[in-house]
Amino acid sequence: MIAKTFSLYKTSFTGLSKEAWLLSFIMLVNRSGTMVLPFMTLYLTSKEMHRSLSEAGFVMMLFGLGSIVGAYFGGKFSDKIGFYKVQLFTLFGGGLMFIVLGQVKSYSLICICTFVLSMINEAFRPANSSSIAFYSTPENRTRSYSLNRLAINLGWAVGASIGGLVAAFDYELLFWVDGITNILAAGFLFYFLRPNIQLKKESSTSSDTKEVKEEVVPEVMSAYKDKTYLWFLVLMTLFSCCFVQLFTTIPKYFRDDMHLNEKYIGLIMAINGIIIVAIEMVLVYTLEKKNKNTQWIIIGLVMCACSYLSLLIPGNAKFISLVMILFITVGEIMAMPFMNVFWLQRANDKNRGQYAALYTISWGIGNTAGPFLISALVDASSFKVAFIVLGFILFISAFGFYKLNSNSNKETL
């Protein structure tokens, strides 16, 4: 049994390109410093900053708005000047902006710096998605993205757990760590994946990639005219509005209503990343063979809905928070890798930046609207009402994916 399990793990990680591993390593370095985002709401509502939840929600809304702008230009420039240059600039520039943001105390300056930081930082995502697609094949593309997510979540586990300790000592240090790891990641990208490596890879593989992609979607050359994809983005936006609460309003609920301290909140957030690192690659390797991508997304959304509804259950705070994290983690593992597959299967080498940008923009809209609307809802009513609303939206999204899958099957027939 142990040998079989080890063999399954080994197989799930084999066949990926060296560049995919390098990109994941760079992402691991970057995300190991992810401390600002999960603690930003706590920082702004702390005794030092004494801002309201609505004010913190507005700042997070600006973070989401900046990510929308950044994603658009990140995708546009990735198609024009190449994903390498965009990644290098955004990693280094984002690192500097994290450090600057930690130094400002004026609420208006915090708002401005947050927007600029997010715009630079989130322009990285479409370029990174394009690079992963470029350095993978159709056969291993889902696992290449899962490897990248593994790096993100391993870094998240490290960053969140250490971030809880750092936040308990001094919130300002969070910004320095996040900024320095961004700059380190830029250095590794420059050293390991210089332009000549990208150009060499491009000359040897771009024709093959083009041939495969154009066989899949020869009629779709503009992501903005792909109606099925646009409906997918609407559902993605609803999902992201709900999922982003894990990093915005939920930490405040854990602290203020469930009376959990920052150290425990950091630990419970780290569990999310640890579980993903432990099982996602193997699970994706097993599930992708069944060719039911949309069905896994639906199951994942239902699990996420259950995670928020579980917070309505009375009981021990530490146990309930753990149940919530377990539900949303399983939901994330089931849904997100196959959401990536959806847009990748519709893109080709000429419009991949467009598709990646719109995918990132849908997340940006969720990051913009989600924290602002839910924090306002909490201020007007309660967290309990917000959890019911979040569960309802996720069930609606799951039904939307069910209809999208049914329509896609009819088109195929």
Side-chain angles (χ1 to χ4, degrees):
M1 184 65 181
I2 296 177
K4 186 177 180 180
T5 302
F6 177 77
S7 177
L8 182 60
Y9 267 88
K10 183 179 178 181
T11 304
S12 66
F13 282 92
T14 57
L16 305 179
S17 69
K18 182 180 77 171
E19 292 83 359
W21 282 98
L22 288 173
L23 284 168
S24 296
F25 170 71
I26 292 166
M27 183 63 78
L28 174 62
V29 173
N30 180 25
R31 295 300 175 178
S32 291
T34 301
M35 299 182 184
V36 171
L37 184 59
F39 290 96
M40 191 66 173
T41 301
L42 296 182
Y43 168 65
L44 292 172
T45 57
S46 65
K47 293 180 180 179
E48 179 186 353
M49 301 301 293
H50 50 81
R51 296 293 170 182
S52 68
L53 181 59
S54 295
E55 287 176 315
F58 182 75
V59 172
M60 297 309 295
M61 183 191 77
L62 289 174
F63 188 93
L65 186 61
S67 72
I68 295 172
V69 178
Y72 173 77
F73 285 105
K76 192 177 184 66
F77 284 117
S78 292
D79 285 337
K80 285 194 173 183
I81 66 175
F83 51 74
Y84 171 81
K85 292 179 181 178
V86 175
Q87 288 181 99
L88 188 63
F89 171 79
T90 54
L91 284 173
F92 186 78
L96 292 179
M97 282 306 303
F98 270 117
I99 295 172
V100 170
L101 178 60
Q103 306 310 303
V104 299
K105 303 302 177 185
S106 163
Y107 182 71
S108 58
L109 285 178
I110 288 174
C111 290
I112 294 170
C113 289
T114 297
F115 177 80
V116 175
L117 163 65
S118 177
M119 184 173 61
I120 296 173
N121 209 47
E122 293 301 302
F124 170 79
R125 288 181 181 269
N128 182 251
S129 295
S130 296
S131 66
I132 296 168
F134 182 81
Y135 288 123
S136 60
T137 65
E139 292 75 23
N140 65 24
R141 195 151 288 154
T142 306
R143 287 187 295 126
S144 295
Y145 273 93
S146 291
L147 179 66
N148 196 256
R149 273 180 45 78
L150 184 150
I152 290 172
N153 285 283
L154 181 58
W156 168 261
V158 173
S161 57
I162 297 177
L165 299 174
V166 174
F169 176 71
D170 185 355
Y171 275 109
E172 189 176 315
L173 288 178
L174 296 174
F175 296 89
W176 280 98
V177 175
D178 221 332
I180 290 171
T181 50
N182 262 43
I183 294 170
L184 279 175
F188 283 124
L189 178 70
F190 179 78
Y191 183 80
F192 288 117
L193 286 169
R194 293 189 182 94
N196 62 317
I197 299 176
Q198 178 180 336
L199 292 174
K200 181 179 178 182
K201 175 77 177 178
E202 184 173 7
S203 63
S204 63
T205 63
S206 60
S207 59
D208 295 333
T209 305
K210 180 178 178 181
E211 181 181 350
V212 173
K213 284 295 184 182
E214 290 185 347
E215 287 178 2
V216 178
V217 284
E219 75 285 357
V220 177
M221 292 306 296
S222 172
Y224 302 97
K225 296 180 180 179
D226 186 347
K227 293 181 180 180
T228 299
Y229 186 58
L230 294 178
W231 275 113
F232 165 80
L233 292 174
V234 171
L235 299 174
M236 274 296 306
T237 301
L238 291 176
F239 168 69
S240 63
C241 279
C242 299
F243 185 78
V244 74
Q245 304 305 319
L246 179 63
F247 317 117
T248 54
T249 55
I250 294 300
K252 180 172 172 57
Y253 177 73
F254 282 168
R255 184 189 67 184
D256 295 349
D257 288 60
M258 301 185 80
H259 308 294
L260 302 172
N261 60 40
E262 280 88 349
K263 292 180 181 179
Y264 184 81
I265 293 171
L267 176 63
I268 204 75
M269 291 293 184
I271 289 175
N272 169 264
I274 293 169
I275 294 174
I276 290 171
V277 169
I279 69 173
E280 181 170 306
M281 284 291 289
V282 173
L283 190 62
V284 168
Y285 176 72
T286 303
L287 294 180
E288 68 178 346
K289 295 178 182 179
K290 301 181 184 298
N291 197 29
K292 297 179 180 179
N293 296 346
T294 308
Q295 292 184 26
W296 306 135
I297 295 174
I298 294 169
I299 294 172
L301 294 182
V302 171
M303 294 294 290
C304 289
C306 292
S307 74
Y308 288 115
L309 296 177
S310 69
L311 293 173
L312 301 173
I313 302 172
N316 179 271
K318 290 186 176 181
F319 176 75
I320 296 300
S321 63
L322 177 61
V323 170
M324 185 271 174
I325 291 295
L326 291 176
F327 266 113
I328 203 165
T329 300
V330 174
E332 178 184 354
I333 292 173
M334 295 293 289
M336 287 191 184
F338 299 104
M339 289 172 174
N340 270 314
V341 173
F342 190 95
W343 74 263
L344 280 167
Q345 289 179 337
R346 306 190 74 82
N348 57 50
D349 64 324
K350 292 183 178 179
N351 61 15
R352 192 174 291 125
Q354 284 184 12
Y355 274 85
L358 285 178
Y359 183 78
T360 305
I361 285 172
S362 70
W363 278 99
I365 294 173
N367 288 340
T368 303
F372 179 73
L373 293 176
I374 296 300
S375 61
L377 177 62
V378 170
D379 281 346
S381 54
S382 68
F383 275 108
K384 303 294 185 183
V385 173
F387 298 149
I388 294 172
V389 170
L390 289 170
F392 178 75
I393 293 173
L394 285 166
F395 280 127
I396 291 294
S397 301
F399 180 74
F401 273 104
Y402 170 77
K403 295 296 291 183
L404 188 68
N405 185 49
S406 299
N407 292 338
S408 298
N409 290 338
K410 289 179 183 178
E411 289 176 8
T412 305
L413 294 173

